[in-house]
Amino acid sequence: MIPYFGLESQEKLLKSKVLVVGAGGLGSPVIMYLAAAGVGNLTIVDFDTVEKSNLQRQVIHSGKIGWNKAESAKDFAEKLNPDVNVEAIKDEIEPENVMKIIKGHDVVVSCPDNFRTRFILNDACRIVDIPLVHAAVFEFEGEAMTIKSTPCYRCLYPVAPPSKTPGIIGATPGVMGCIQAVEALKIITGIGETLSGLLRIDLQTMEIFNIEVRPNKECPICSGKLKKIHPENYLNLCKVVKF
Ligand SMILES: [Zn+2]
């Protein structure tokens, strides 16, 4: 019913193929809204198992404690929209499998809970030129960035900051995951403008920041120096040490 969206865009969605990495707090709204919108082919990657403590934010796994999260998300998406073809991959994104997993997708939506997976996805998606929609959350705060060319995630963070498991208000990944879903829909249909820099939202103060991200001349990805995924680049700080 949106005049400039129409049947043509709906058909684009049905033909599209989207990879969602992580079926947790961010992945839940992403999977829910992409399936509901009629994205025809969804691939969901998660190795983890649903635990009771996940359910305050991982809302698609209701009643499925003990299930693999990718399988549970597939079950949810297929019940919501039987027209969606869902593939569940019970695995972790690794340097060894990332190229095979991302191949053939129109968009990759990055919803993991760790920096290593974000770096592997950034580097792999830039090398084969697949748009990537990143988000991350901490307590009441979230960030999002859509990477279609330079600047990339490594321009923003050349190495991984120290990682610790944050506490999260469940609605925070709800907000950020919905933003990721809208970004993916815009990429597929070509309607609207995707994020041009880093979006930061503080839900405690309701402040929203659009931060400019400049291409980093030293970035091994954007300079075109890194052309392959080497496992050596994803240890500790995820610093690129091998080209
Ligand atoms: Zn870069």
Side-chain angles (χ1 to χ4, degrees), residues 46-61:
D46 207 311
F47 68 98
D48 205 7
T49 306
V50 179
E51 289 176 36
K52 191 176 172 185
S53 63
N54 300 149
L55 297 177
Q56 51 79 278
R57 61 193 185 283
Q58 303 184 19
V59 291
I60 62 172
H61 302 305

Side-chain angles (χ1 to χ4, degrees), residues 9-121:
S9 300
Q10 202 65 60
E11 279 172 351
K12 279 184 190 165
L13 294 182
L14 196 61
K15 281 185 198 141
S16 68
K17 191 168 181 186
V18 179
L19 172 66
V20 183
V21 177
L26 290 165
S28 288
V30 170
I31 292 159
M32 182 168 17
Y33 282 108
L34 293 185
V39 165
N41 304 280
L42 272 179
T43 310
I44 302 166
V45 182
D46 207 311
F47 68 98
D48 205 7
T49 306
V50 179
E51 289 176 36
K52 191 176 172 185
S53 63
N54 300 149
L55 297 177
Q56 51 79 278
R57 61 193 185 283
Q58 303 184 19
V59 291
I60 62 172
H61 302 305
S62 160
K64 299 209 190 96
I65 291 167
W67 283 48
N68 166 269
K69 289 183 186 176
E71 292 281 1
S72 165
K74 175 181 159 79
D75 180 69
F76 177 92
E78 286 175 343
K79 279 181 183 151
L80 183 64
N81 187 349
D83 290 339
V84 182
N85 178 14
V86 190
E87 186 189 355
I89 301 179
K90 295 192 273 184
D91 207 346
E92 221 168 336
I93 291 286
E94 293 290 347
E96 292 81 5
N97 66 14
V98 66
M99 285 305 188
K100 190 169 167 240
I101 290 175
I102 66 173
K103 197 179 173 192
H105 291 88
D106 301 304
V107 185
V108 175
V109 188
S110 171
C111 310
D113 60 357
N114 66 86
F115 283 104
R116 183 169 180 266
T117 308
R118 291 179 198 129
F119 279 97
I120 297 172
L121 287 175

Side-chain angles (χ1 to χ4, degrees), residues 142 144-146 179 183 193-201 207-213:
M145 183 174 174
T146 294
I179 288 171
E183 289 289 281
E193 279 174 44
T194 54
L195 290 168
S196 64
L198 182 72
L199 177 74
R200 272 257 167 87
I201 300 185
E207 283 175 296
I208 298 176
F209 306 92
N210 273 296
I211 302 161
E212 187 189 355
V213 181

Side-chain angles (χ1 to χ4, degrees), residues 120-189:
I120 297 172
L121 287 175
N122 175 73
D123 299 354
C125 286
R126 288 316 320 127
I127 289 169
V128 292
D129 200 19
I130 296 177
L132 175 71
V133 184
H134 152 78
V137 291
F138 174 84
E139 298 176 358
F140 275 89
E141 293 168 42
E143 67 171 34
M145 183 174 174
T146 294
I147 300 149
K148 294 193 283 193
S149 60
T150 190
C152 74
Y153 188 70
R154 263 195 202 276
C155 291
L156 182 66
Y157 301 115
V159 297
S163 204
K164 60 168 189 172
T165 306
I168 294 165
I169 294 293
T172 311
V175 170
M176 301 314 294
C178 286
I179 288 171
Q180 287 180 291
V182 175
E183 289 289 281
L185 296 177
K186 289 190 290 184
I187 291 168
I188 297 162
T189 58

